[in-house]
Amino acid sequence: VFFTGVVPRFVPAHDNTVDLLILGGVFNAIGIAWLVGYATLVARAKIALSQGKTRRMIERLSGIVLIGFAVDLALTPRG
């Protein structure tokens, strides 16, 4: 829908179908490069966050947050 509704407005009327296909190919190449970069970043973050010291710190912090929520819930007046 995007390519049939929006992209033709950016291609001059005298251009042919090949130019529109090239524009679509460039759009797809940029999208693939973005997704590959994003996947690489997330994979590296997973490795970094799953290491012992970092993982223990995250588990402790999330435990403290959950205990805080429980205390807040226990002290909230009902009514």
Side-chain angles (χ1 to χ4, degrees):
V1 173
F2 178 75
F3 277 98
T4 59
V6 176
V7 174
R9 296 178 188 195
F10 297 102
V11 178
H14 65 276
D15 286 348
N16 56 13
T17 306
V18 175
D19 293 332
L20 191 58
L21 289 174
I22 291 172
L23 186 61
V26 169
F27 180 81
N28 284 327
I30 291 171
I32 289 171
W34 167 254
L35 291 175
V36 168
Y38 184 69
T40 303
L41 179 69
V42 169
R44 289 184 180 176
K46 179 189 175 213
I47 293 169
L49 293 175
S50 65
Q51 292 177 351
K53 185 177 179 182
T54 308
R55 185 173 180 164
R56 281 191 302 267
M57 183 178 67
I58 292 171
E59 287 176 355
R60 288 178 184 158
L61 180 63
S62 58
I64 290 169
V65 169
L66 288 174
I67 291 170
F69 285 150
V71 168
D72 182 55
L73 183 63
L75 297 177
T76 300
R78 301 182 194 237

